[in-house]
């Protein structure tokens, strides 16, 4: 008999920025952001990932005060509702304020490289820490999409994430509060992203580090490039959802811990169908 399937955690993206690649700043206002967060919970989000800094390629960084003003009121309101809230930040000061406001996950796309003090902040809390593979800030990351070592991008991402795990553990974060993210789209070409997806459950890849994996592929440019029309123009951002759902299903089948998505309702539909269909094959 097959083991029962376990759908991944659905992390809903809540960008509180004026320059997000995916929503164009639709939720930059606190009230709009809180309302959208509540919609995502109603649609089935397990976690809300609140971010006040755009990490799209070429983006410039906000001031710390701007990032704090964007995320803290939203986190306070959603946590007061009883939502499970994550803060998407690379800054120790923001992580500390977010945890104080009710966040229980710190999703650091730099894995502690942008601000090493963030590891100590998380260690002193009870928050879960997501360490993503990262090489440089958004305005320079394209220059770092080179993986010439044996094993290519899969080996490099595993090695560099292993280093981030060591740093997190040395700072006092226990393994039980660590999650890894291969960082699709960050200092990676489309081909690099597809190689990482293909090896997501391979023991020689990131899965071999033995920690839960979070994958954020939703609406990213490598999906748009795959779906380009005859003229070579990538599929627009808001027209990539079906491709994202197909990838979510693949990731679920390969046992990832969580998926970070914009379309929570569609993702939840896909996972419900997969779980129900799998359940029907278990006992008969």
């Amino acid at each position: 008999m097959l083991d029962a399937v376990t759908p991944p955690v659905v992390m809903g993206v809540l960008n509180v920025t004026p320059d997000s690649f995916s929503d164009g700043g639709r939720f930059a206002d606190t009230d709009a952001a809180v309302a959208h967060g509540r919609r995502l919970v109603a649609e089935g989000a397990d976690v809300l990932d609140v971010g006040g800094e755009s990490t799209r390629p070429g983006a410039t960084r906000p001031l710390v005060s701007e990032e704090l003003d964007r995320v803290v009121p939203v986190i306070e309101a959603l946590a007061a509702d009883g939502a499970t809230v994550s803060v998407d930040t690379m800054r120790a000061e923001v992580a500390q304020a977010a945890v104080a406001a009710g966040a229980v996950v710190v999703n650091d796309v730099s894995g502690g490289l942008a601000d090493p003090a963030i590891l100590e902040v998380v260690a002193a809390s009870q928050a879960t820490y997501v360490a993503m593979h990262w090489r440089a800030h958004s305005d320079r990351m394209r220059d770092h999409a080179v993986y010439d070592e044996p094993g290519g991008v899969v080996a490099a991402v595993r090695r560099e994430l292993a280093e981030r795990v060591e740093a997190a553990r040395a700072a006092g974060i226990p393994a039980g509060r660590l999650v890894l993210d291969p960082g699709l789209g960050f200092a990676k070409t489309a081909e690099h992203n597809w190689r990482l997806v293909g090896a997501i459950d391979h023991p020689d890849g990131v899965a071999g580090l033995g920690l839960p994996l979070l994958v954020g592929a939703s609406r990213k440019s490598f999906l748009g490039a795959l779906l380009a029309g005859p003229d070579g123009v990538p599929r627009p951002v808001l027209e990539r959802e079906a491709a994202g759902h197909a990838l979510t299903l693949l990731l679920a089948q390969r046992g990832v811990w969580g998926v970070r998505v914009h379309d929570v309702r569609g993702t939840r539909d896909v996972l419900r169908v997969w779980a129900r269909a799998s359940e029907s094959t278990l006992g008969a």
Side-chain angles (χ1 to χ4, degrees), residues 153-154 184 189-200 222-227 243 247 250 254:
V153 66
V154 173
L184 301 183
T189 65
E191 180 59 26
H192 293 147
N193 294 328
W194 287 117
R195 289 185 180 276
L196 287 167
V197 167
I200 198 67
F222 74 103
L223 296 176
L226 177 71
L227 303 173
L247 191 49
L250 172 70
R254 296 190 179 183

Side-chain angles (χ1 to χ4, degrees), residues 91-118:
R91 289 169 162 150
E93 185 175 349
V94 176
Q96 189 165 35
V99 169
V104 295
V105 179
V106 174
N107 182 16
D108 177 3
V109 300
S110 82
L113 290 172
D115 185 354
I118 199 170

Side-chain angles (χ1 to χ4, degrees), residues 39 78 82 93 102 132 161 165 172 177 212 245 254 258 264:
R39 282 194 296 273
L78 293 171
E93 185 175 349
M132 195 192 81
L161 274 179
V165 171
R177 289 201 277 124
H245 296 328
R254 296 190 179 183
V264 168

Side-chain angles (χ1 to χ4, degrees), residues 241-264:
E241 297 295 10
H245 296 328
L247 191 49
T248 290
L249 179 58
L250 172 70
L251 294 168
Q253 291 170 333
R254 296 190 179 183
V256 301
W257 171 83
V259 289
R260 185 178 182 273
V261 301
H262 298 84
D263 179 15
V264 168

Side-chain angles (χ1 to χ4, degrees), residues 57-248:
T60 56
R61 305 197 73 189
L63 299 173
V64 176
S65 58
E66 291 176 320
E67 188 178 353
L68 286 166
D69 288 344
R70 291 172 182 176
V71 302
V72 170
V74 176
I75 292 170
E76 285 178 338
L78 293 171
D81 285 349
T84 300
V85 183
S86 166
V87 61
D88 177 0
T89 187
M90 294 181 271
R91 289 169 162 150
E93 185 175 349
V94 176
Q96 189 165 35
V99 169
V104 295
V105 179
V106 174
N107 182 16
D108 177 3
V109 300
S110 82
L113 290 172
D115 185 354
I118 199 170
L119 300 177
E120 297 173 3
V121 168
V122 176
S125 74
Q126 294 300 312
T128 294
Y129 183 66
V130 181
M132 195 192 81
H133 179 264
W134 182 90
R135 285 184 165 182
H137 287 291
S138 297
D139 59 345
R140 296 180 288 110
M141 66 181 177
R142 287 192 179 99
D143 299 332
H144 295 266
V146 179
Y147 300 89
D148 291 335
E149 67 182 69
V153 66
V154 173
V157 169
R158 174 183 170 136
R159 176 178 55 77
E160 291 171 29
L161 274 179
E163 292 171 357
R164 304 321 307 150
V165 171
E166 290 181 11
R169 296 297 305 278
I173 304 174
R177 289 201 277 124
L178 288 174
V179 175
L180 301 180
D181 182 337
L184 301 183
F186 288 78
K188 298 171 186 73
T189 65
E191 180 59 26
H192 293 147
N193 294 328
W194 287 117
R195 289 185 180 276
L196 287 167
V197 167
I200 198 67
D201 59 346
H202 197 282
D204 291 336
V206 179
L209 297 176
L211 292 172
L213 299 183
L214 173 69
V215 180
S218 179
R219 298 182 180 176
K220 290 195 172 176
S221 61
F222 74 103
L223 296 176
L226 177 71
L227 303 173
D231 57 2
V233 176
R235 182 77 62 82
V237 170
L238 297 181
E239 298 177 21
R240 302 170 186 172
E241 297 295 10
H245 296 328
L247 191 49
T248 290

Side-chain angles (χ1 to χ4, degrees), residues 13-76:
V13 178
L14 183 49
N15 293 315
V16 193
T17 62
D19 54 349
S20 165
F21 86 94
S22 64
D23 55 43
R26 291 171 57 204
F27 312 115
D29 173 79
T30 296
D31 290 341
V34 171
H36 185 57
R38 288 170 176 159
R39 282 194 296 273
L40 293 179
V41 170
E43 291 173 354
D46 299 303
V47 181
L48 298 175
D49 194 35
V50 180
E53 175 179 354
S54 175
T55 53
R56 63 176 176 79
T60 56
R61 305 197 73 189
L63 299 173
V64 176
S65 58
E66 291 176 320
E67 188 178 353
L68 286 166
D69 288 344
R70 291 172 182 176
V71 302
V72 170
V74 176
I75 292 170
E76 285 178 338

